[in-house]
Amino acid sequence: MKETDREAVATAVQRVAGMLQRPDQLDKVEQYRRREARKKASVEARLKAAIQSQLDGVRTGLSQLHNALNDVKDIQQSLADVSKDWRQSINTIESLKDVKDAVVQHSQLAAAVENLKNIFSVPEIVRETQDLIEQGALLQAHRKLMDLECSRDGLMYEQYRMDSGNTRDMTLIHGYFGSTQGLSDELAKQLWMVLQRSLVTVRRDPTLLVSVVRIIEREEKIDRRILDRKKQTGFVPPGRPKNWKEKMFTVLERTVTTRIEGTQADTRESDKMWLVRHLEIIRKYVLDDLIVAKNLMVQCFPPHYEIFKNLLNMYHQALSTRMQDLASEDLEANEIVSLLTWVLNTYTSTEMMRNVELAPEVDVGTLEPLLSPHVVSELLDTYMSTLTSNIIAWLRKALETDKKDWVKETEPEADQDGYYQTTLPAIVFQMFEQNLQVAAQISEDLKAKVLVLCLQQMNSFLSRYKDEAQLYKEEHLRNRQHPHCYVQYMIAIINNCQTFKESIVSLKRKYLKNEVEEGVSLSQPSMDGILDAIAKEGCSGLLEEVFLDLEQHLNELMTKKWLLGSNAVDIICVTVEDYFNDFAKIKKPYKKRMTAEAHRRVVVEYLRAVMQKRISFRSPEERKEGAEKMVREAEQLRFLFRKLASGFGEDVDGYCDTIVAVAEVIKLTDPSLLYLEVSTLVSKYPDIRDDHIGALLAVRGDASRDMKQTIMETLEQGPAQASPSYVPLFKDIVVPSLNVAKLLK
């Protein structure tokens, strides 16, 4: 207590010190005292009230304990009296055993009397029940069947209670009611038949389906009641539990499986489109059935049956099994596409499971895949392998067909712009388009793989195309009379190269969103190179055709006959122009290159005629006449190729200027200036060699030995450097074997 008092005093001192920290607070001491007195009085009042409440509770508890003690004493006395009475009545109970047996027997006899009417009327009830089942009155038939079963089960239960080991009486009762089990089986058979046709029945006669469900529900309740009694007595009547609800779902599942499997009406032998037809029938049947189940069947079943959810799972499982069976067959490529398209796209599309009439009960996201990823991967591998073989075969066949056209007597067709072409590019890319469209129906990944495959096979195909075009050219050169339309078909082959290029770009732009696949992005330069090589060989072959016809006239150039008035260049110009009228059917990129190459080759052949030293001028007059003729013919050629190159926007004068430059060397009248003229020629045409200069001087016919020697030595000391844009003209010109020493002599 002292410690408490000290703590109280210390606390009070602390509070007073807190109140009186400033001088002006001394005026409020009386006010503080009254406030503290009120607080103290309030605390004391609450304390007294609490103590009083506690005392009242203790008083009440003591009173209740006192009463409980008195009650315990009374109960103890009552139990002692009961124990005394029980000991005195043991003998009395044993003497009542006969009464107990009589009571049991009375109970059995009462049950027998109660069921006596039913027992005697069993045969009649059996007949009536059979008639009702045959008439389709299933509810009434089930009611009578329940009466029969109730009578039988009641008698058997009483017999079980009286003497569970007496099998003879149990067998007697079971035999008397033997028809009951047969009626139950017959009724079940009728129920299952209705359930098998439930999707039709629910539209025509929904009350019949409701009756079936009511019967099953009754049997489920009886099963539950009997199982509960079994826990207490151990007695179970024969044929119980029937489990008709479980059997109902088994029947529905078997019905769904049969319906799915029964939709295949055709085989591959009878109809190539058998699988497409089969899958479409499945789609229609499943969608219709699920819509009926959602809108009608759910109204005929109790909610806890979850009939739509169960039917949805049954259909999904049956479809999965069917798709697995189809996938295990030896399917062709188009059949694999049909199957995968249906499984991966159609099944989860608005045409089926996403149909608005099935929402929101059907959540596609919760459905398992119809085919496992492993099976899908195997099918795709098989498809790609088959497709590869098919594309190779199709491309080979297309090329063979195109080759047959090359030897026809009629010209090839022209496109809307008048350019010759064959059907090969259209056939090839139509095939690619079809396969890519089919692949796109399955997945973007497969589409990309098929595109890569098409481009890879295109690469190989173009190599074969190049070889065949080369053989075509070589065969024609062996016999230029055959084939009749060689030029026209070679033009078509050249044009096909441009068409192939454009089609490849179009195909990739259409089916490839972004060129990230290395195989796809790198394949274009390779194919472009092959196509350019094919076109170049084709153009070369056509020019070779031209120069074979020009050969005779080119051989006349720079000869005595030419100097005396040959019209060889006129014929050359007419022939080239005539050929290029046909070459107008060549598409612009290749025609442009071909025109430039023809121009270059004509000039080269003209220069080669100069370098072959077919003529040696004997006088200045001859040199002047020959040089002027060369200039006139250079202008003729210039005019021709300007005409042929119109629309290309290129300078075509450079090649013909070479002929003029050579003519200037020949025309020069002052031999002392020859060195300067030749030096100028060499600086303009760096690929000119000393043998060319020697041949040119030989054609002039007036260069002295010392002059030739000086020119040769000077040219050997400082060869000119060619500009990057310079196109060599002299490097392919071979001078007839006559060494410089002989020329100097």
Side-chain angles (χ1 to χ4, degrees), residues 260-285:
I260 296 297
E261 292 176 349
T263 54
Q264 183 175 343
D266 303 300
T267 61
R268 184 182 294 123
E269 290 72 22
S270 61
D271 186 356
K272 291 294 184 183
M273 301 296 290
W274 69 275
L275 185 57
V276 174
R277 196 182 307 278
H278 179 39
L279 294 173
E280 177 57 22
I281 293 173
I282 288 177
R283 185 198 66 79
K284 187 176 184 304
Y285 280 10

Side-chain angles (χ1 to χ4, degrees), residues 465-481:
Y465 191 50
K466 178 182 178 183
D467 295 339
E468 294 297 338
Q470 183 65 26
L471 288 173
Y472 181 58
K473 181 179 81 170
E474 292 173 359
E475 288 177 4
H476 172 72
L477 292 177
R478 284 194 288 270
N479 179 7
R480 294 186 64 208
Q481 302 303 315

Side-chain angles (χ1 to χ4, degrees), residues 67-309:
N67 293 337
L69 180 61
N70 292 334
D71 291 342
V72 168
K73 290 179 180 178
D74 292 342
I75 292 169
Q76 188 176 12
Q77 183 60 42
S78 297
L79 286 173
D81 294 342
V82 170
S83 178
K84 181 179 178 182
D85 292 341
W86 178 73
R87 289 190 187 94
Q88 292 175 355
S89 63
I90 289 176
N91 295 331
T92 305
I93 292 173
E94 290 178 354
S95 65
L96 292 176
K97 185 175 184 301
D98 294 338
V99 177
K100 180 182 178 183
D101 294 340
V103 170
V104 173
Q105 188 176 9
H106 180 271
S107 175
Q108 292 173 343
L109 291 173
V113 170
E114 186 181 348
N115 291 288
L116 192 60
K117 182 180 179 181
N118 290 338
I119 292 173
F120 284 115
S121 61
V122 165
E124 182 181 354
I125 295 175
V126 169
R127 284 194 299 273
E128 290 177 357
T129 306
Q130 185 67 46
D131 292 341
L132 289 170
I133 291 174
E134 291 176 356
Q135 293 168 13
L138 302 182
L139 275 177
Q140 295 89 327
H142 185 250
R143 172 57 62 187
K144 290 189 175 296
L145 177 63
M146 288 172 63
D147 293 340
L148 287 172
E149 290 180 339
C150 184
S151 298
R152 179 197 66 184
D153 297 346
L155 289 172
M156 294 184 78
Y157 177 63
E158 293 300 331
Q159 177 61 36
Y160 179 82
R161 284 178 60 195
M162 182 179 70
D163 186 3
S164 60
N166 190 346
T167 58
R168 186 179 65 82
D169 290 348
M170 295 288 277
T171 304
L172 179 64
I173 297 172
H174 188 270
Y176 186 75
F177 286 91
S179 301
T180 304
Q181 187 60 43
L183 288 173
S184 178
D185 294 341
E186 184 64 27
L187 179 61
K189 184 178 179 181
Q190 294 298 317
L191 298 181
W192 308 150
M193 289 176 63
V194 173
L195 286 169
Q196 287 170 358
R197 300 192 300 270
S198 58
L199 290 165
V200 178
T201 304
V202 76
R203 303 185 209 187
R204 298 179 180 175
D205 188 8
T207 55
L208 178 58
L209 184 59
V210 172
S211 298
V212 170
V213 176
R214 288 180 60 189
I215 292 170
I216 292 172
E217 271 293 278
R218 287 177 186 173
E219 290 294 338
E220 284 295 301
K221 291 179 181 177
I222 296 172
D223 281 348
R224 287 194 294 271
R225 187 171 64 247
I226 287 174
L227 290 175
D228 290 341
R229 188 171 66 180
K230 177 187 175 184
K231 295 175 182 177
Q232 300 173 0
T233 65
F235 174 73
V236 179
R240 292 289 178 182
K242 291 184 179 180
N243 295 322
W244 277 9
K245 180 180 176 182
E246 182 181 337
K247 291 179 181 177
M248 176 197 76
F249 282 113
T250 302
V251 169
L252 286 174
E253 186 173 1
R254 189 164 55 246
T255 302
V256 169
T257 302
T258 304
R259 183 161 175 78
I260 296 297
E261 292 176 349
T263 54
Q264 183 175 343
D266 303 300
T267 61
R268 184 182 294 123
E269 290 72 22
S270 61
D271 186 356
K272 291 294 184 183
M273 301 296 290
W274 69 275
L275 185 57
V276 174
R277 196 182 307 278
H278 179 39
L279 294 173
E280 177 57 22
I281 293 173
I282 288 177
R283 185 198 66 79
K284 187 176 184 304
Y285 280 10
V286 171
L287 181 60
D288 291 347
D289 291 354
L290 289 177
I291 290 174
V292 170
K294 175 178 177 289
N295 296 329
L296 300 178
M297 283 189 70
V298 292
Q299 302 175 21
C300 301
F301 288 80
H304 65 273
Y305 274 52
E306 295 184 319
I307 188 63
F308 180 74
K309 179 180 178 182

Side-chain angles (χ1 to χ4, degrees), residues 558-560 562-563 610 615-627 630 666-667 696-702:
M558 302 304 293
T559 61
K560 287 291 186 182
W562 168 80
L563 186 61
V610 175
I615 187 173
S616 180
F617 297 111
R618 293 189 176 88
S619 64
E621 290 75 16
E622 278 191 0
R623 284 191 289 276
K624 180 180 178 182
E625 182 182 355
M630 289 174 66
I666 295 174
K667 183 180 179 182
L696 182 57
L697 295 176
V699 170
R700 268 188 63 88
D702 66 340

Side-chain angles (χ1 to χ4, degrees), residues 408-622:
K408 285 183 177 179
E409 297 294 321
T410 55
E411 292 185 354
E413 297 179 357
D415 63 11
Q416 66 271 18
D417 297 320
Y419 297 119
Y420 284 137
Q421 63 176 7
T422 67
T423 57
L424 183 62
I427 292 172
V428 169
F429 282 92
Q430 183 181 8
M431 175 190 65
F432 287 169
E433 281 272 359
Q434 290 172 352
N435 284 288
L436 285 165
Q437 289 171 4
V438 167
Q441 295 174 7
I442 298 176
S443 68
E444 289 294 317
D445 182 57
L446 181 63
K447 182 185 74 174
K449 288 181 179 178
V450 171
L451 178 58
V452 171
L453 172 64
C454 290
L455 294 177
Q456 288 173 345
Q457 295 305 319
M458 185 68 188
N459 224 347
S460 303
F461 166 75
L462 290 177
S463 296
R464 293 195 299 273
Y465 191 50
K466 178 182 178 183
D467 295 339
E468 294 297 338
Q470 183 65 26
L471 288 173
Y472 181 58
K473 181 179 81 170
E474 292 173 359
E475 288 177 4
H476 172 72
L477 292 177
R478 284 194 288 270
N479 179 7
R480 294 186 64 208
Q481 302 303 315
H482 180 81
H484 179 70
C485 295
Y486 166 78
V487 171
Q488 290 80 0
Y489 277 99
M490 184 56 77
I491 291 173
I493 291 171
I494 295 169
N495 289 338
N496 285 350
C497 294
Q498 183 64 22
T499 305
F500 275 129
K501 275 188 178 183
E502 295 167 355
S503 299
I504 290 169
V505 171
S506 173
L507 197 70
K508 290 173 66 177
R509 186 182 297 117
K510 183 176 181 181
Y511 290 100
L512 196 63
K513 293 180 180 177
N514 47 8
E515 287 193 13
V516 295
E517 292 86 350
E518 184 177 354
V520 179
S521 60
L522 295 180
S523 61
Q524 182 73 27
S526 174
M527 284 187 282
D528 283 354
I530 296 174
L531 288 168
D532 286 341
I534 296 171
K536 184 177 180 181
E537 286 293 328
C539 292
S540 174
L542 292 176
L543 288 179
E544 199 164 342
E545 188 79 2
V546 174
F547 282 92
L548 284 173
D549 285 351
L550 295 180
E551 185 175 4
Q552 176 185 350
H553 309 292
L554 290 171
N555 289 335
E556 286 186 14
L557 296 177
M558 302 304 293
T559 61
K560 287 291 186 182
K561 181 180 179 182
W562 168 80
L563 186 61
L564 293 174
S566 169
N567 59 350
V569 171
D570 295 336
I571 297 173
I572 289 171
C573 290
V574 171
T575 304
V576 169
E577 187 172 8
D578 182 56
Y579 268 104
F580 269 82
N581 286 334
D582 291 336
F583 296 164
K585 305 287 187 178
I586 299 175
K587 290 186 176 180
K588 189 172 182 178
Y590 298 121
K591 183 184 176 185
K592 178 180 177 181
R593 297 177 204 168
M594 191 171 177
T595 304
E597 179 61 18
H599 188 182
R600 191 189 74 84
R601 283 192 62 178
V602 168
V603 171
V604 167
E605 292 300 325
Y606 198 107
L607 295 174
R608 180 177 283 110
V610 175
M611 300 305 168
Q612 285 181 345
K613 303 177 296 244
R614 298 172 184 168
I615 187 173
S616 180
F617 297 111
R618 293 189 176 88
S619 64
E621 290 75 16
E622 278 191 0

